[in-house]
Coordinates of all heavy atoms in Angstrom, one line a residue:
I14 N 1.0 -18.9 13.0 CA 1.3 -17.5 12.6 C 0.1 -16.8 12.1 O -0.4 -17.2 11.1 CB 2.5 -17.5 11.6 CG1 3.7 -18.2 12.2 CG2 2.8 -16.1 11.2 CD1 4.3 -17.5 13.4
F15 N -0.2 -15.7 12.7 CA -1.4 -14.8 12.3 C -0.8 -13.6 11.6 O -0.5 -12.6 12.2 CB -2.2 -14.4 13.5 CG -3.5 -13.9 13.2 CD1 -4.6 -14.7 12.9 CD2 -3.7 -12.5 13.1 CE1 -5.8 -14.2 12.6 CE2 -5.0 -12.0 12.8 CZ -6.0 -12.8 12.6
A16 N -0.4 -13.8 10.3 CA 0.3 -12.7 9.6 C -0.8 -11.6 9.3 O -1.8 -11.9 8.7 CB 0.9 -13.2 8.3
L17 N -0.5 -10.5 9.7 CA -1.5 -9.4 9.4 C -1.2 -8.8 8.0 O -0.5 -7.9 7.9 CB -1.3 -8.3 10.5 CG -1.8 -8.7 11.8 CD1 -1.7 -7.5 12.8 CD2 -3.2 -9.1 11.8
V18 N -1.7 -9.6 7.1 CA -1.6 -9.1 5.7 C -2.7 -8.0 5.6 O -3.9 -8.3 5.6 CB -1.9 -10.2 4.7 CG1 -1.9 -9.6 3.3 CG2 -0.9 -11.3 4.9
L19 N -2.3 -6.8 5.6 CA -3.3 -5.7 5.6 C -3.7 -5.4 4.1 O -3.1 -4.6 3.4 CB -2.7 -4.5 6.2 CG -2.2 -4.9 7.6 CD1 -1.6 -3.7 8.3 CD2 -3.3 -5.4 8.5
A20 N -4.6 -6.2 3.6 CA -4.8 -6.3 2.2 C -5.8 -5.2 1.8 O -6.9 -5.3 2.1 CB -5.4 -7.7 1.9
A21 N -5.3 -4.3 1.3 CA -5.9 -3.2 0.6 C -5.8 -1.9 1.5 O -6.5 -1.0 1.3 CB -7.3 -3.4 0.4
I22 N -5.3 -2.2 2.2 CA -4.8 -2.9 3.4 C -3.4 -2.5 3.6 O -2.6 -2.3 2.7 CB -4.8 -4.5 3.2 CG1 -6.2 -5.0 3.1 CG2 -4.2 -5.1 4.4 CD1 -6.2 -6.5 2.8
A23 N -3.0 -2.4 4.9 CA -1.6 -2.2 5.2 C -1.0 -3.6 5.4 O -1.5 -4.4 6.0 CB -1.5 -1.5 6.6
I24 N 0.1 -3.8 4.7 CA 0.8 -5.0 5.0 C 2.0 -4.7 5.9 O 2.7 -3.8 5.7 CB 1.6 -5.6 3.8 CG1 0.8 -5.6 2.6 CG2 1.9 -6.9 3.9 CD1 1.6 -6.5 1.6
W25 N 2.1 -5.5 6.9 CA 3.3 -5.3 7.8 C 4.5 -6.0 7.2 O 5.5 -6.2 7.9 CB 3.0 -5.7 9.2 CG 2.0 -4.8 9.8 CD1 1.5 -3.7 9.3 CD2 1.4 -5.0 11.1 NE1 0.6 -3.2 10.2 CE2 0.6 -3.9 11.3 CE3 1.6 -5.9 12.1 CZ2 -0.2 -3.8 12.5 CZ3 0.9 -5.8 13.3 CH2 0.0 -4.7 13.4
A26 N 4.4 -6.3 6.0 CA 5.5 -6.9 5.3 C 6.1 -5.9 4.3 O 5.3 -5.1 3.8 CB 5.1 -8.1 4.5
G27 N 7.3 -5.9 4.1 CA 7.9 -4.9 3.1 C 7.6 -5.5 1.7 O 8.3 -6.3 1.3
G28 N 6.6 -4.9 1.1 CA 6.3 -5.3 -0.3 C 6.3 -4.1 -1.1 O 6.2 -3.0 -0.6
S29 N 6.4 -4.2 -2.4 CA 6.4 -3.1 -3.3 C 5.0 -2.5 -3.4 O 4.0 -3.2 -3.5 CB 6.8 -3.5 -4.7 OG 6.0 -4.5 -5.2
R30 N 4.9 -1.1 -3.3 CA 3.7 -0.4 -3.4 C 3.1 -0.5 -4.8 O 3.8 -0.4 -5.8 CB 3.9 1.0 -3.0 CG 2.6 1.8 -2.9 CD 2.9 3.2 -2.5 NE 3.5 3.3 -1.2 CZ 2.9 3.4 -0.1 NH1 1.6 3.3 -0.1 NH2 3.5 3.4 1.0
A31 N 1.8 -0.8 -4.9 CA 1.2 -0.9 -6.2 C 1.3 0.5 -7.0 O 1.4 1.5 -6.4 CB -0.3 -1.2 -6.0
A32 N 1.4 0.4 -8.3 CA 1.6 1.5 -9.1 C 0.4 2.5 -8.9 O -0.7 2.1 -8.8 CB 1.7 1.1 -10.6
R33 N 0.8 3.8 -8.9 CA -0.2 4.8 -8.8 C 0.4 6.1 -9.2 O 1.6 6.3 -9.1 CB -0.7 5.0 -7.3 CG -1.7 6.1 -7.1 CD -2.1 6.1 -5.6 NE -2.9 7.3 -5.3 CZ -4.2 7.3 -5.4 NH1 -4.8 6.2 -5.8 NH2 -4.9 8.4 -5.0
P34 N -0.4 7.1 -9.8 CA 0.2 8.3 -10.2 C 0.9 9.0 -9.1 O 0.6 8.8 -7.9 CB -1.0 9.1 -10.7 CG -2.0 8.1 -11.0 CD -1.8 6.9 -10.1
G35 N 1.9 9.9 -9.4 CA 2.7 10.5 -8.4 C 2.1 11.6 -7.6 O 0.9 11.6 -7.5
P36 N 2.9 12.6 -7.2 CA 2.4 13.7 -6.4 C 1.3 14.5 -7.1 O 1.1 14.3 -8.3 CB 3.6 14.5 -6.1 CG 4.8 13.6 -6.3 CD 4.3 12.6 -7.4
A37 N 0.7 15.4 -6.4 CA -0.4 16.2 -6.9 C 0.0 16.9 -8.2 O -0.8 17.0 -9.1 CB -0.8 17.2 -5.9
A38 N 1.3 17.3 -8.3 CA 1.7 18.0 -9.5 C 1.6 17.1 -10.8 O 1.5 17.6 -11.9 CB 3.1 18.5 -9.3
D39 N 1.7 15.8 -10.6 CA 1.6 14.9 -11.7 C 0.2 14.5 -12.0 O 0.0 13.7 -13.0 CB 2.5 13.7 -11.4 CG 3.9 14.0 -11.2 OD1 4.4 15.0 -11.8 OD2 4.6 13.4 -10.4
R40 N -0.8 14.9 -11.2 CA -2.1 14.4 -11.4 C -2.9 15.3 -12.4 O -2.4 16.4 -12.6 CB -2.9 14.4 -10.1 CG -2.3 13.5 -9.0 CD -2.3 12.1 -9.4 NE -1.8 11.2 -8.4 CZ -2.6 10.8 -7.4 NH1 -3.9 11.1 -7.3 NH2 -2.1 10.0 -6.5
P41 N -4.0 14.9 -12.9 CA -4.8 15.7 -13.8 C -5.2 17.0 -13.1 O -5.4 17.0 -11.9 CB -6.0 14.9 -14.2 CG -5.6 13.5 -13.9 CD -4.6 13.5 -12.8

C-alpha cells in the first residue's frame, strides 16, 4: 500500500486540520 500521506502536505485521509487562525477578519 502506497498511502499518499501528503505531509504538509495534502493527506488523502480524513484527518483533523491543524490549528490555525480563522478567516481574514480574525487575523491581525
